[in-house]
């Protein structure tokens, strides 16, 4: 795979690097055949002339060939992180164009890679190609670039974190999940307030945006261990299924999607399988199947027992964030004990602490009215 770099100079207000990994947003419809073809980013402003009005210097990097997001692997996350690292000092912000199917996973993964981040990294995409008449791609692209270039009164970046913009809303990247396959409002952040709303003007919710790590040296650690699994519980799950997942020889981590606030079956064979996996050094993270709320392993007897076995509470983290965080921590070479400890605390705002839970639920209800 190779990269192509194009420079499209506009005005010197802010410099933005646009990274096209693939996905629907970068496709154009051939007027003769009707087939969708990758957009030539040399002519990006010919297809989206509104970009000239933004007052930004916009350059672009393309993955060659463009990737369907369902084909994204940890190697592509590493490549993406390296592109940003190599260009970090050259640009004021970054916009990553990505297919929607796995965008929440990539945004979560990239959030853990960058420690000491002081510049915006905004993910976006679209449900319809940018060349379609009714496309959502142009609005998402233009607004994402505007957010990446935005500064406050002191000249500091407005959103110095990894975020995701889609259909009017800016969200923390590692708090998002794709919720629709055929609606323009394809993403949601259920357990954390939106960072901004783009209507007639962009209204930033400054209280929930991460602070820039001004003066800190950026540390980039794009290492991931893919030897993880997701175990989704369901009524009637069999011993064979559970043991087949937990007994994989190379397995190092599991995100277990439990019921409600972290509950699971209490059959002896199920608990024995969990104990055996934990004893082998497998880190098991307990996340809820519910789209809102959080895991509280002290609320019911079943949760207390899971905690005694050695499961780690994922609190209000999404499956996407818990899985990529687990891959990231395992990729750093930490021991199982250290990974378990770090999985229980927020590293990049991917999960809430006890005192934040109630406050965020109020923030979400107020901010979305």
């Amino acid at each position: 795979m190779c990269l192509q770099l194009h420079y499209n100079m506009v005005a010197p207000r802010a410099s933005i690097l646009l990274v096209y990994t693939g996905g629907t947003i970068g496709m154009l419809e051939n007027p003769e055949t009707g087939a969708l073809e990758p957009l030539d980013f040399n002519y990006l402003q010919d297809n989206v002339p509104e970009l000239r009005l933004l007052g930004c210097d916009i350059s672009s990097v393309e993955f060659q060939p463009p990737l369907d997001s369902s084909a994204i692997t940890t190697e592509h996350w590493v490549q993406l992180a390296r592109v940003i690292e190599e260009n970090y000092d050259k640009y004021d912000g970054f916009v990553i164009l990505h297919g929607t199917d796995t965008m929440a996973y990539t945004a979560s993964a990239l959030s853990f890679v960058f420690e000491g981040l002081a510049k915006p990294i905004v993910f976006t995409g679209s449900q319809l190609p940018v060349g379609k008449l009714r496309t959502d791609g142009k609005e998402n692209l233009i607004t994402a670039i505007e957010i990446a270039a935005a500064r406050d009164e002191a000249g500091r970046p407005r959103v110095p974190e990894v975020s995701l913009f889609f259909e009017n809303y800016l969200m923390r990247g590692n708090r998002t999940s794709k919720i629709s396959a055929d609606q323009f409002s394809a993403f949601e952040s259920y357990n954390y307030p939106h960072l901004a709303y783009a209507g007639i003007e962009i209204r930033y919710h400054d209280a929930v945006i991460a602070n820039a790590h001004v003066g800190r040296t950026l540390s980039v650690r794009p290492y991931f261990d893919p030897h993880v699994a997701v175990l989704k519980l369901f009524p009637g799950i069999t011993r064979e299924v559970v043991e087949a997942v937990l007994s994989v020889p190379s397995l190092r981590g599991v995100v277990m999607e439990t019921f409600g606030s972290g509950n699971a079956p209490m059959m002896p064979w199920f608990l024995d399988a969990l104990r055996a996996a934990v004893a082998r050094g497998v880190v098991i993270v307990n996340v809820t199947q519910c789209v809102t709320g959080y895991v509280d392993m002290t609320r019911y007897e079943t949760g207390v027992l899971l905690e005694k076995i050695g499961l780690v509470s994922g609190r209000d983290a999404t499956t996407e964030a818990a899985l990529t965080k687990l891959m990231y921590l395992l990729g750093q070479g930490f021991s199982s004990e250290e990974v378990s400890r770090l999985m229980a605390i927020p590293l990049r705002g991917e999960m809430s602490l006890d005192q934040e839970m109630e406050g965020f639920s109020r923030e979400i209800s107020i901010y979305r009215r």
Side-chain angles (χ1 to χ4, degrees), residues 59-131:
S59 303
S60 64
V61 173
E62 301 172 54
F63 276 34
Q64 294 288 351
L67 292 166
D68 185 296
S69 71
S70 62
I72 290 287
T73 69
T74 57
E75 293 179 0
H76 298 124
W77 293 344
V78 172
Q79 183 182 11
L80 186 53
R82 292 303 186 197
V83 169
I84 295 174
E85 180 185 21
E86 292 164 6
N87 291 280
Y88 189 76
D89 294 331
K90 303 174 187 175
Y91 296 91
D92 298 309
F94 303 86
V95 173
I96 300 174
L97 305 183
H98 195 288
T100 59
D101 286 346
T102 58
M103 191 189 299
Y105 287 95
T106 303
S108 295
L110 266 288
S111 75
F112 298 116
V113 164
F114 295 101
E115 183 177 351
L117 185 65
K119 297 182 179 182
I121 300 175
V122 186
F123 279 80
T124 196
S126 67
Q127 295 287 64
L128 286 175
V130 72

Side-chain angles (χ1 to χ4, degrees), residues 10 101 131 145 168 187 221 292-293 322 342 352 358 368:
V10 190
D101 286 346
I145 292 173
N168 299 115
F187 289 85
R221 298 188 178 92
T292 62
L342 293 172
S352 307
E358 185 178 348
R368 294 180 184 172

Side-chain angles (χ1 to χ4, degrees), residues 198-351:
I200 295 175
E201 59 183 27
I202 301 176
R203 299 200 306 266
Y204 293 92
H205 193 188
D206 293 321
V208 297
I209 296 174
N211 294 320
H213 295 279
V214 180
R216 286 185 58 184
T217 302
L218 179 72
S219 178
V220 185
R221 298 188 178 92
Y223 311 111
F224 299 93
D225 189 331
H227 296 100
V228 297
V230 175
L231 176 60
K232 186 182 182 74
L233 302 185
F234 56 88
I237 192 169
T238 64
R239 180 174 186 168
E240 289 78 10
V241 168
V242 172
E243 291 182 348
V245 173
L246 296 182
S247 64
V248 173
S250 61
L251 188 68
R252 299 193 63 202
V254 174
V255 174
M256 189 169 76
E257 294 187 348
T258 55
F259 307 122
S261 58
N263 300 315
M266 290 293 103
M267 293 90 74
W269 63 261
F270 179 77
L271 300 177
D272 288 343
L274 295 178
R275 288 192 189 94
V278 171
R280 290 189 358 249
V282 176
V283 179
I284 305 178
V285 184
N286 184 354
V287 300
T288 177
Q289 296 180 16
C290 302
V291 294
T292 62
Y294 60 97
V295 166
D296 183 354
M297 291 167 65
T298 66
R299 183 177 298 178
Y300 299 105
E301 182 181 357
T302 55
V304 172
L305 184 52
L306 293 177
E307 188 172 40
K308 287 182 179 178
I309 289 174
L311 272 65
V312 180
S313 173
R315 307 186 68 78
D316 61 345
T318 64
T319 295
E320 295 92 334
L323 187 70
T324 54
K325 180 180 180 181
L326 192 55
M327 297 167 81
Y328 167 75
L329 292 175
L330 290 169
Q332 307 310 303
F334 295 134
S335 66
S336 297
E337 292 76 17
E338 183 66 2
V339 171
S340 294
R341 185 186 71 82
L342 293 172
M343 285 299 301
I345 60 176
L347 299 182
R348 308 287 188 269
E350 74 283 357
M351 61 196 298

